[in-house]
Amino acid sequence: MKNILFILKRREDYNHNVHNTIGLSTGLYNSAKFVNDMFNSVNISSVLEVVIDNNDIDRVVTINNPTHVIIEALWVVPSKFAILSKLHPNVKWIIRLHSELPFLASEGMAMDWIGDYADYPNIIIAANSPQMKKDIQTFLRISKNMTHKEIKEKVIYLPNYYPTQYNTKVFDKDKEYIDISCFGATRQLKNHLVQAIAAIKFADKINKKLRFHINSDIFNPRDMAVLHNLEGLFEHLVDSGHQLIQHQWMPRNEFLKLCSTMDIGLQCSFSETFNIVSADLVSQGVPILGSYEIPWSSKLFSTNFLKVDEIVDMLRLTYLFPTLNVKLNQYKLTRYTTKTQKIWVNYFGGK
């Protein structure tokens, strides 16, 4: 029997008075929890634990006695596995990557750590996108002189899973405002500024005031410039009636309620491997417009992430056909997650 243990790292700025008990950014925790819950629903034993740091890993592994440990994202120093491998020689460790190379490029240690992880025989590296799997396989095959069989076993594909439970929404096109969200981490590659300009132009074209909704929590100081630019943009538009509305991170059930109040969700980012925010919006019956990077979304309602006018045109199409947008994206999301469940279950249930 396989016993799976997911391990996530608590935020370093964790404050129990401000943050929730898990102390994590919502996306990463939800991604792991969705798979953990799915495993247990199909009778594969799985537990999710949140630890303080590298030194806390041994404790939760000892308690849970897993056969496989999945480390979510890059945060464990590679040298730590020299100790952990001796303490737990029968455990297979899986380092699961949650982004493609453009996002990974901002993590200065990423490629060095991945190269070091590959030197441990009991460590497997998992990517949540086919392209990232290929890229890491290329890197390790050449740097480690691995055979085709070795690289296939060392680097695997473990995509995102999402529980597909859908709500419906009634669209009110008579109200004065249009609520367009661009939720998610405020990072440069999320492309907020281009989408904000497009949303403003679109709202102006349909003679409505824009309420542009974002998450304003900043986890990395280098991302402050994104938020400052959005604030500066809307400060100069105050007389137009267009507004920037900032939301703090919130528990998932509250975030889903917030999503349900949106008219359109924008997610035209530069790089994506899944995009939980889009799935959350679609689950609440809200139409989305994303970039072609989102692997499961309808290409009929996707667009170029750089061209403001193209985003505006597609916003108009989304606005005119919201029900079609939602039904297509719900269908695509269901089909995608059905496949991803099979991938996870076949890997952990079939060996």
Side-chain angles (χ1 to χ4, degrees):
M1 285 289 293
K2 303 292 192 303
N3 295 306
I4 318 301
L5 172 62
F6 290 87
I7 302 182
L8 299 95
K9 183 178 183 292
R10 196 170 71 181
R11 285 170 51 162
E12 291 183 7
D13 63 346
Y14 173 72
N15 181 327
H16 72 276
N17 292 318
V18 177
H19 302 133
N20 58 32
T21 53
I22 56 172
L24 292 162
S25 58
T26 305
L28 190 63
Y29 175 78
N30 284 339
S31 175
K33 187 175 187 302
F34 293 155
V35 181
N36 178 71
D37 291 348
M38 180 272 290
F39 271 153
N40 286 304
S41 73
V42 296
N43 297 318
I44 295 176
S45 176
S46 183
V47 175
L48 188 153
E49 296 273 11
V50 179
V51 300
I52 299 170
D53 55 24
N54 288 245
N55 296 321
D56 201 20
I57 295 173
D58 172 52
R59 177 182 65 82
V60 296
V61 173
T62 300
I63 291 171
N64 291 284
N65 191 30
T67 57
H68 294 73
V69 172
I70 302 175
I71 305 289
E72 295 287 329
L74 292 171
W75 56 272
V76 181
V77 178
S79 59
K80 189 68 181 178
F81 286 104
I83 300 169
L84 290 170
S85 296
K86 291 178 181 178
L87 293 172
H88 308 281
N90 297 321
V91 169
K92 283 190 176 180
W93 306 86
I94 298 175
I95 311 295
R96 187 162 175 251
L97 309 177
H98 283 260
S99 60
E100 291 189 348
L101 291 177
F103 268 111
L104 211 62
S106 65
E107 302 292 337
M109 80 305 180
M111 301 312 293
D112 185 35
W113 281 21
I114 291 170
D116 287 346
Y117 290 146
D119 291 331
Y120 291 89
N122 56 345
I123 290 183
I124 294 167
I125 297 160
N128 72 337
S129 84
Q131 184 59 53
M132 189 59 171
K133 184 188 82 166
K134 291 178 183 178
D135 294 339
I136 298 303
Q137 283 181 335
T138 297
F139 165 49
L140 296 181
R141 178 180 57 79
I142 296 171
S143 64
K144 307 297 180 182
N145 195 27
M146 288 185 173
T147 65
H148 178 72
K149 182 176 182 297
E150 288 171 336
I151 200 65
K152 238 182 130 178
E153 293 176 350
K154 178 62 73 172
V155 184
I156 63 174
Y157 174 49
L158 292 178
N160 283 56
Y161 170 79
Y162 189 89
T164 49
Q165 297 171 330
Y166 300 130
N167 293 330
T168 57
K169 176 180 172 64
V170 176
F171 298 95
D172 179 8
K173 294 185 178 180
D174 295 326
K175 62 181 185 177
E176 179 185 0
Y177 284 89
I178 183 164
D179 291 286
I180 298 179
S181 69
C182 195
F183 292 135
T186 312
R187 301 175 188 157
Q188 290 187 11
L189 289 179
K190 288 292 187 178
N191 200 31
H192 282 76
L193 189 56
V194 169
Q195 295 176 87
I197 293 288
I200 291 164
K201 189 171 183 178
F202 168 68
D204 213 44
K205 278 180 175 288
I206 62 171
N207 297 313
K208 289 188 181 291
K209 308 303 180 187
L210 170 68
R211 293 194 290 209
F212 192 71
H213 299 258
I214 65 168
N215 293 113
S216 58
D217 302 81
I218 300 295
F219 302 125
N220 195 317
R222 66 172 173 263
D223 296 324
M224 285 299 299
V226 177
L227 180 59
H228 290 330
N229 273 306
L230 290 171
E231 290 173 337
L233 171 67
F234 281 92
E235 282 173 9
H236 284 274
L237 291 169
V238 65
D239 292 335
S240 71
H242 300 314
Q243 301 175 45
L244 176 68
I245 301 179
Q246 302 184 34
H247 302 271
Q248 301 295 307
W249 287 109
M250 57 189 70
R252 175 169 164 74
N253 61 331
E254 292 180 24
F255 180 66
L256 291 176
K257 288 179 183 177
L258 175 62
C259 285
S260 71
T261 66
M262 297 297 114
D263 296 307
I264 298 174
L266 269 176
Q267 289 292 301
C268 301
S269 46
F270 290 96
S271 176
E272 290 292 347
T273 55
F274 180 76
N275 197 294
I276 289 179
V277 169
S278 285
D280 285 342
L281 287 158
V282 166
S283 77
Q284 299 308 299
V286 176
I288 59 167
L289 174 58
S291 68
Y292 294 111
E293 295 295 306
I294 300 174
W296 54 267
S297 66
S298 169
K299 301 314 172 197
L300 180 62
F301 292 98
S302 299
T303 189
N304 186 304
F305 47 67
L306 277 179
K307 305 292 185 181
V308 168
D309 286 343
E310 289 186 24
I311 296 174
V312 171
D313 289 342
M314 292 305 298
L315 277 169
R316 183 170 181 80
L317 185 68
T318 301
Y319 182 70
L320 289 172
F321 302 102
T323 302
L324 176 62
N325 179 299
V326 170
K327 288 194 176 299
L328 279 174
N329 279 305
Q330 288 180 349
Y331 167 75
K332 294 283 240 177
L333 179 57
T334 299
R335 190 171 72 168
Y336 182 91
T337 56
T338 299
K339 290 179 180 178
T340 62
Q341 177 174 345
K342 289 179 181 177
I343 290 170
W344 281 91
V345 171
N346 285 345
Y347 187 83
F348 290 97
K351 291 186 179 181

